[in-house]
Every structure is written in C-alpha cells, then in structure tokens.
Amino acid sequence: MKFQPYVTEHIYDEMFESNEKCRSHYAMFKEKIEDLSTRKLMQLQHSTDKAQRAIGMTFNVYHDKKGKEKILPLDIIPRVINGKDWEVIEKGLAQRIEALNLFLQDIYNGGKILKDKIVPEELVLSSQDYLDPCSGITPPKGRWCHIIGTDLVRDGKGHFYVLEDNLRCPSGVSYMLENREILKRAFPQLLSSMGVRPVSDYPIKLLNMLQYMSDKAKPTVVVLTPGVFNSAYFEHSYLANEMGVTLVTGQDLIVENDFVFMQTTKGLKQVDVIYRRIDDKFMDPMTFRKDSLLGTPGLFRAFKKGNVALANAPGTGVADDKAVYAYVPRIIKYYLGEDPIIENVPTYLCREEKDKKYVLENIGNLVVKETNAAGGYGMLIGPKTTKSEHEKFKKLISSNPSNYIAQPTLSLSTVPTISKSKIDGRHVDLRPYVLYGEKVEVIPGALTRVALKKGSLVVNSSQGGGSKDTWVLYN
C-alpha cells in the first residue's frame, strides 16, 4: 500500500514533511504499511469496525431522529507523537491543571483573583456553571478537578495550542483504551518495536486517584451514571468494570444523616468516593434542579460536610467556560508566576465591544462558539458556511454577545487516513487525559479525533467524526 501522491501543501502533516519525506518517528510504521497490499490493509480496517461492534463501543447522538446507536469509527493508521513533543504536552498540561485548580479554590473562597481584576468578576459570577452553593467549600485534599480531558490542536507550523479545557465529565477515555487493544491485534509486535508507551494501566491509575480522595484505608468507590440512555453509557460501564467497582444510578444511592449509602442485596453499604458522570445540576434535586430524576436527594449536602468525595467536584464547569478560557494565560501567571507552556488559541470575547465589532466584521474568517456549548454544537466555522449562516450568527451575537467567543480558523494538522481504497490526509485534534490526585499525571496516550470528511475541521463524534489510536513514543 503506497502513500503517494500525498498532499501536505500549507498544512502540517503528522507523518510527512512538505517534501513528502516521512518524519523519523513514523518511519517504521510507514515501512510496515507499505509491506501490506491494499486488500490486506482494507481487511484490517474492516476487522476494526467488526471488533468495535462486538465490544459494544457505541454511543447515542441525541439529535439523530433515527435514534440508533453508532460506533465511533476507528481509522487503523495511528497518530504517532515523539517523546520530545510529548514532554512539552506533559509539562504544559500539568501547569494548566494546577493553575485551574487554584482558580477554582479561589473563586469559591473569597475570589482574590476577581478582586484583583485579573479575571472579570461579572464574567465568572454570571456563568451558568458558577454554583453559589459551592461557596466556602474546599473539596477533599483540595482537589476540584480530578479527571481532565484537554483538547489540543496543532497549527500549520506544527505548534500545539490548547483549544479548550474539559473539567466536568470528559468522555472518550474508553475509546483510547479500546482503540489500543484493537490496534495491538492489527499490528502485533509493531508497538513494542517502535517503543510505544502503554496506556492499559489507566483504570488502575484512575482507581488509585479516586481512593486517594478518601482518608479511609479501603474506601468504597462507585461510578455514578445517568443511565443506559446516556450517550457515554458504554464508557461508564466499561470504566466501572475495569476498576472493579459498582456502577450505580442516582436511585441506587440514599443519603442518611448526611452520609451516602448504596443499596445492595446485603443491605446498605456506605460510599466514600463517587466518580460521577452526571451533570452538576442533575445530581441533587434538593440543591439544584428540583425536577431531576437522575440524582440523589441530599448528595450535595453530604459532599459539603466532607462525608463523601465527588470527582469531579461540583462547580468545576466555570473553569472550562469558553469565555473564562480566554483568561487562562493570566490565571497561570497570577497563581504560578509563569508564562503558559502551551498557548491558547487567540480568542475574541464578544462581550467586549472592540472584539464584538471585529467578529461581526470578519465572521467569514472566524470560528464562532457558544460559551457553554459542547460536542460541536452552537458553532460556526466561517470559511465553511454560507452567508445566510453568517447573518444568522451575527444576529445571535448582537442579541447576546456574552454567550459567544470567536477564534481564528486554524489549519489543523493532518494524519494519513484510509478513505475508501486510498490513503488521504484528514484533520485531527488531540485529547490527552490527566489525573490529579496526589500529583498531576498525564496519561501517555490520548484520543485523537479525526474529521472523516475531506477538508472538514469538525472532529466531534456527534458531528460525524472518527478516532485514531495515539502512539506516544519513549523517544
């Protein structure tokens, strides 16, 4: 199977330089692929699809009228990252997570950064993800964000940028783990030959981090899911099974005397740590949404009294608000006295008159996002959409400017991807996963999301994207 002709003009390709010379860390993989016939490669690709369905790696798309479960297509050509680049990512994410954790502790306990006018007070306090009930709380061990999935992109010059932070219930890590298992079967011996770092111990590391949140010697840990109809239910059940802990819904839990218990066949058993995959405002109808049938009455009060640890802590969402994101470089400087190791994508805040004017005048060249939307929804990619869409977003921005930010359209890096019976470049992003327990630990792998449509910059699974295994090398 040959890669030529392979176009990389004006784009940073992860595998090839502009002269179609293979980058050194991909050389062994390229040799392996070129030893395969087109038929054999397509057979391997087809077998990955079958493996995903057999495992049950599916998700629901809420807006899909057909209502059927879908797989996240796995392209068999991995993204390979050398050790030098990964070292920068590790240091940059550790710095960022430490600063954001300090920010959360501060804004819920006095708000010195707001009083010092580093971040606008109104911006934080008006965010729909700022939770007044969290005021005065310090979570167990001082950790607000325990499991983080930060989205990175690489521009046309090969520089990494942080696209957004995901501090609430970041999903996708189960795909990272299962993608690796599938690729191991497709390319036996190749991963060890290339020196690819393992990710299979993630469930153990996750469990150790969750147990660290409790002062008990042997704390009881559970995974709290909204239920089988949630789009990420496969991941919830997968992680609970891999950690060897119980998967529960809100109805399986009960709060008595401000302690949390789960109902078992042997009676009530106290729960010490909850890895929750349920949104803040649905977790406790006594404190947040009274109409929620997904949560457990009294859960937040038990957390507030220190009788149960929640990962991630309620209220973390304000730190990944897309408007707050623009201030993260200042947040890092304020708390750590350092410049960001990984820069933000330049961001225009439509709440500021000067930025709003620029966005309205240049909307055809920008990516516009709702500050609280996710999954690729509420987004406009100016160069890829029509003038009528531009006008629609101009009206939305003008009517509620605080709800929108805008960024330049980056030419995301590409990775060779199988398209029908040939190999072609497709745009990708990168979601590494970070655990913050006793220390910050960046897992040496990631979920690479890929836009399967040629030229598309939208990689979200809910918008038709796929995934790749991410191979991080020792050197």
Side-chain angles (χ1 to χ4, degrees):
M1 183 72 180
K2 303 298 181 183
F3 287 90
Q4 280 78 14
Y6 188 86
V7 179
T8 59
E9 188 177 1
H10 307 307
I11 293 172
Y12 184 93
D13 188 79
E14 302 284 337
M15 186 170 179
F16 292 102
E17 298 177 24
S18 57
N19 58 3
E20 295 190 28
K21 178 183 177 182
C22 182
R23 300 186 191 277
S24 59
H25 58 283
Y26 256 109
M28 191 179 295
F29 181 81
K30 179 175 181 288
E31 183 179 335
K32 173 67 176 179
I33 287 292
E34 291 187 332
D35 281 343
L36 299 175
S37 66
T38 299
R39 181 180 179 182
K40 177 62 177 176
L41 186 64
M42 298 308 295
Q43 285 176 340
L44 286 173
Q45 179 62 59
H46 180 64
S47 69
T48 67
D49 298 339
K50 290 177 65 177
Q52 284 184 290
R53 292 194 183 280
I55 296 168
M57 290 175 63
T58 61
F59 66 96
N60 297 317
V61 179
Y62 294 129
H63 71 278
D64 193 326
K65 294 180 181 179
K66 295 179 181 178
K68 63 181 182 180
E69 292 184 335
K70 299 183 178 183
I71 64 167
L72 179 63
L74 168 62
D75 184 79
I76 203 168
I77 299 178
R79 182 200 198 137
V80 183
I81 300 176
N82 63 40
K84 183 178 179 181
D85 284 344
W86 190 254
E87 184 179 355
V88 174
I89 290 172
E90 277 187 316
K91 290 179 179 178
L93 293 182
Q95 177 197 57
R96 194 173 184 95
I97 298 315
E98 185 180 351
L100 287 173
N101 192 75
L102 292 170
F103 172 69
L104 287 162
Q105 178 65 19
D106 185 3
I107 63 172
Y108 286 116
N109 291 273
K112 190 174 185 298
I113 195 171
L114 307 180
K115 294 172 182 175
D116 289 343
K117 301 187 184 303
I118 305 300
V119 179
E121 184 175 36
E122 184 273 332
L123 176 67
V124 172
L125 300 185
S126 66
S127 170
Q128 69 178 28
D129 295 304
Y130 178 84
L131 302 182
D132 285 321
C134 290
S135 296
I137 288 179
T138 295
K141 309 295 174 71
R143 302 290 185 263
W144 288 82
C145 40
H146 311 88
I147 304 113
I148 306 99
T150 300
D151 292 341
L152 305 178
V153 292
R154 208 169 195 172
D155 71 357
K157 296 181 179 179
H159 297 141
F160 281 107
Y161 289 89
V162 176
L163 184 64
E164 63 181 45
D165 303 288
N166 296 284
L167 306 178
R168 283 169 276 190
C169 301
S171 62
V173 74
S174 59
Y175 295 100
M176 176 190 79
L177 298 172
E178 282 301 323
N179 286 354
R180 176 60 56 84
E181 292 304 310
I182 292 171
L183 265 287
K184 278 182 183 177
R185 293 194 288 272
F187 301 111
Q189 287 86 50
L190 185 58
L191 283 90
S192 58
S193 299
M194 289 181 61
V196 178
R197 303 187 199 186
V199 294
S200 58
D201 58 352
Y202 175 82
I204 296 173
K205 290 180 177 180
L206 175 61
L207 180 59
N208 289 340
M209 184 277 294
L210 292 170
Q211 291 174 331
Y212 170 77
M213 304 315 299
S214 173
D215 290 327
K216 288 187 176 180
K218 293 183 178 180
T220 297
V221 178
V222 299
V223 177
L224 175 59
T225 177
V228 295
F229 296 109
N230 185 267
S231 62
Y233 180 75
F234 165 78
E235 179 158 296
H236 306 167
S237 58
Y238 175 90
L239 290 175
N241 184 63
E242 290 295 306
M243 288 191 289
V245 304
T246 305
L247 180 69
V248 299
T249 65
Q251 294 179 343
D252 296 320
L253 302 178
I254 187 171
V255 177
E256 290 187 353
N257 299 319
D258 297 331
F259 287 88
V260 182
F261 300 86
M262 64 174 165
Q263 303 179 65
T264 73
T265 56
K266 297 180 180 180
L268 296 181
K269 181 177 183 180
Q270 186 176 341
V271 173
D272 305 300
V273 183
I274 299 175
Y275 176 21
R276 64 183 186 93
R277 297 299 296 262
I278 182 171
D279 291 346
D280 288 349
K281 293 178 182 178
F282 290 91
M283 62 178 284
D284 183 351
M286 291 180 67
T287 303
F288 302 111
R289 288 189 54 154
K290 292 180 172 56
D291 62 342
S292 173
L293 300 176
L294 301 176
T296 303
L299 178 58
F300 182 80
R301 189 175 64 244
F303 165 71
K304 191 171 184 178
K305 292 199 172 186
N307 295 333
V308 68
L310 298 177
N312 287 341
T316 56
V318 67
D320 67 22
D321 183 296
K322 290 181 176 65
V324 173
Y325 157 92
Y327 292 90
V328 173
R330 300 181 206 179
I331 290 170
I332 292 172
K333 190 74 172 179
Y334 182 79
Y335 293 112
L336 304 180
E338 302 167 356
D339 293 324
I341 295 171
I342 307 177
E343 293 282 356
N344 276 14
V345 176
T347 303
Y348 301 97
L349 294 168
C350 295
R351 68 191 303 274
E352 297 182 2
E353 192 61 36
K354 182 181 177 182
D355 284 6
K356 183 180 79 171
K357 184 174 184 294
Y358 179 84
V359 171
L360 293 176
E361 291 175 352
N362 297 275
I363 197 165
N365 300 316
L366 300 170
V367 177
V368 180
K369 302 176 182 178
E370 284 187 43
T371 57
N372 291 295
Y377 298 105
M379 183 170 71
L380 171 89
I381 300 179
K384 302 287 185 179
T385 47
T386 63
K387 288 187 177 180
S388 63
E389 282 292 304
H390 297 170
E391 293 304 316
K392 173 186 173 183
F393 265 76
K394 283 183 181 181
K395 291 177 182 177
L396 291 170
I397 292 168
S398 297
S399 63
N400 188 8
S402 296
N403 198 43
Y404 293 91
I405 64 163
Q407 297 169 328
T409 307
L410 295 181
S411 181
L412 305 185
S413 64
T414 57
V415 177
T417 302
I418 296 175
S419 175
K420 296 182 180 179
S421 59
K422 65 176 183 176
I423 296 175
D424 211 351
R426 293 291 186 269
H427 293 293
V428 294
D429 76 352
L430 184 72
R431 178 173 287 185
Y433 293 92
V434 186
L435 298 176
Y436 192 13
E438 189 171 3
K439 61 180 181 178
V440 178
E441 185 168 16
V442 182
I443 305 305
L447 176 65
T448 288
R449 299 184 299 179
V450 55
L452 296 176
K453 184 178 179 182
K454 187 175 179 62
S456 174
L457 298 173
V458 181
V459 299
N460 305 80
S461 58
S462 55
Q463 306 290 312
S467 70
K468 287 177 171 289
D469 191 15
T470 307
W471 294 4
V472 177
L473 307 184
Y474 283 106
N475 48 42

